Amino acid sequence: MTGDSTQTLTDEALSLSAIVASAPRVARLAARCAEEAEAARRLTPEVVEALKEAGFARHFVPAAHGGTEGGFEELTHAVGLVGEGCASAAWAASLAAYAGRYAAFLPTAGQAEIWADGPDVLLAGALMPAGQAERVPGGWRLSGEWKYISGVHFADWVLACSVVPGEAVSDGRPGGPPGGRPGGGGEVRFFAVPKPDVSVRDSWFTLGMRGTGSDTLVLSEAFVPDHLTLGRSAVHEGRAVGTDARCHIVPMYAVNALPFAAPLVGAARGALRAAHEQTGRRRDRRGNPVRDKPSVQIDLARSAAEVDAAELLVRRTARAADGIDEPGAAEAAVRGPRDLALAVELLVSAVERLFRATGTSGHFESDPVQRFRRDIDTAASHVALSFETTGAAYGAWALGAENPTAAR
């Protein structure tokens, strides 16, 4: 922190943010629809529309196309508020916003096509390369399957990622490997594909985060013109097209895991609130209030402290991405990912403790604590949130290893 004045100004700006102000309404709606979303394994249309109306889709869209060009901290805070009602809705809000950020790296003509009808276009992204891209006159022919595409059912466009033939290029991380396949050539590129060319295979049968609808994207010889494709290295390096807004020039390493950690902070807060309410009503076998037991009080205090600590780590990463309290580039490349992975470990610990305290009643599907716990456990398995990987990279940097990002 650089001082109280910076913190106060930031908090004031957050309170005035339209997306933050709209988030509680989305959270209440998403909470009411959570069971329906779990059963359908995708968000309800009402929740999707509420996310659009709140401004999540437009948050990182360039101003030239009517977007907000918003900050990372305000988005992180808004996503967390939605997560207090439903982790799946918060996950969808977060990933839709960041997919809009990736589209800002497309050529000018591509941006104009995607946002021709306004900035509230919903995008879904496949960030890991799969499928096959074949060069054809005027563009590319794309086929294959991409797993775990959150929001693919309601997306107007998808960004599919694939390796194309050619020279290997840097992925933008200091000391990082080439952008192609490990040990081989080829550039990794994103391809923007409109909804009519997209098929979806029903494959998302999971323990948690069921409402994200993260099914499998299927493309069959979809033609993608050159103006709708971009090199992944541009995103890694923060080289957007036609905009110099802060949110478009931040290197990928600074925010890589932020879209996945932010929803979980809110989910943990939702679990805390539900646990507090349940504990206040419960009595032991002798009829004594459970809330009077020191062991229960201590467990709640420890979980609340872990959630607070996790939120501080996540918020610090978002503030650094906004240019507030920003470390040097070398440290930023390893500190943010480390902080976010540790934050998620703290959230898993906090909610697991709350769940154990719910007793038998907490194992019913109608209990919100168990839903938040399942959601957080599932989301915590995301590869970007592995502390073994991010911790190794930070430790190597701190100890002065020759290639501190190699472990990542």
Side-chain angles (χ1 to χ4, degrees):
M1 298 297 177
T2 59
D4 292 341
S5 60
T6 300
Q7 184 70 48
T8 301
L9 288 173
T10 302
D11 288 343
E12 181 181 358
L14 283 177
S15 68
L16 297 174
S17 167
I19 195 171
V20 171
S22 300
R25 179 183 61 82
V26 179
R28 291 190 293 271
L29 175 62
R32 292 197 299 270
C33 297
E35 290 189 16
E36 183 180 351
E38 282 220 323
R41 292 177 294 109
R42 68 190 68 172
L43 297 181
T44 64
E46 297 87 349
V47 172
V48 174
E49 188 61 30
L51 292 175
K52 289 176 63 175
E53 291 177 355
F56 285 98
R58 67 168 57 201
H59 187 74
F60 286 136
V61 174
H65 302 289
T68 306
E69 292 186 347
F72 291 95
E73 187 177 16
E74 63 177 328
L75 177 66
T76 297
H77 188 50
V79 165
L81 290 173
V82 174
E84 292 183 25
C86 174
S88 290
W91 187 269
S94 186
L95 268 60
Y98 278 87
R101 177 177 179 267
Y102 303 144
F105 293 80
L106 284 167
T108 303
Q111 295 182 38
E113 183 171 346
I114 286 180
W115 292 306
D117 296 325
D120 294 317
V121 173
L122 288 169
L123 293 99
L127 303 185
M128 297 302 293
Q132 301 82 39
E134 177 189 3
R135 197 71 164 103
V136 295
W140 300 83
R141 192 74 67 185
L142 195 61
S143 297
E145 295 189 357
W146 289 259
K147 295 181 178 179
Y148 316 139
I149 311 304
S150 302
V152 67
H153 290 280
F154 55 74
D156 302 302
W157 290 78
V158 296
L159 293 171
C161 187
S162 191
V163 178
V164 304
E167 295 298 322
V169 295
S170 169
D171 71 355
R173 299 181 311 195
R181 290 188 178 94
E187 180 190 9
V188 179
R189 297 191 67 84
F190 285 116
F191 299 87
V193 182
K195 188 172 187 175
D197 294 342
V198 170
S199 297
V200 180
R201 182 165 61 82
D202 195 18
S203 58
W204 188 244
F205 299 90
T206 56
L207 180 65
M209 297 298 261
R210 295 172 182 171
T212 62
S214 302
D215 285 309
T216 299
L217 163 69
V218 181
L219 298 177
S220 179
E221 297 190 347
F223 174 71
V224 182
D226 285 327
H227 68 274
L228 287 174
T229 180
L230 64 113
R232 192 173 68 174
S233 60
V235 181
H236 278 292
E237 296 166 9
R239 292 186 282 105
V241 177
T243 170
D244 58 359
R246 173 72 191 188
C247 63
H248 298 139
I249 62 174
V250 174
M252 186 66 171
Y253 63 71
V255 295
N256 188 33
L258 197 54
F260 314 116
L264 306 191
V265 173
R269 292 221 171 274
L272 270 174
R273 183 179 61 248
H276 282 145
E277 293 171 354
Q278 291 175 0
T279 302
R281 297 191 299 265
R282 290 178 59 201
R283 293 183 176 272
D284 64 18
R285 285 179 292 181
R286 297 180 179 178
N288 300 315
V290 171
R291 66 173 180 267
D292 292 340
K293 295 180 179 293
S295 60
V296 171
Q297 297 164 358
I298 291 170
D299 280 350
L300 281 173
R302 188 177 297 279
S303 288
E306 287 180 338
V307 175
D308 283 349
E311 184 173 18
L312 288 171
L313 289 170
V314 173
R315 184 171 180 178
R316 181 170 78 162
T317 302
R319 286 167 60 82
D322 283 333
I324 305 170
D325 308 328
E326 187 179 14
E331 182 178 359
V334 292
R335 192 189 76 178
R338 177 209 66 182
D339 284 358
L340 295 174
L342 180 60
V344 170
E345 286 194 353
L346 290 172
L347 296 173
V348 169
S349 171
V351 176
E352 176 63 28
R353 186 181 300 104
L354 295 173
F355 173 71
R356 290 200 305 267
T358 60
T360 301
S361 62
H363 288 263
F364 282 78
E365 289 188 352
S366 59
D367 186 88
V369 175
Q370 62 81 28
R371 174 168 56 85
F372 284 123
R373 180 220 184 197
R374 287 188 290 106
D375 288 343
I376 290 174
D377 279 350
T378 298
S381 68
H382 196 286
V383 63
L385 300 174
S386 166
F387 191 81
E388 284 69 25
T389 302
T390 60
Y394 180 87
W397 169 81
L399 294 172
E402 291 183 6
N403 188 5
T405 58
R408 297 192 296 133

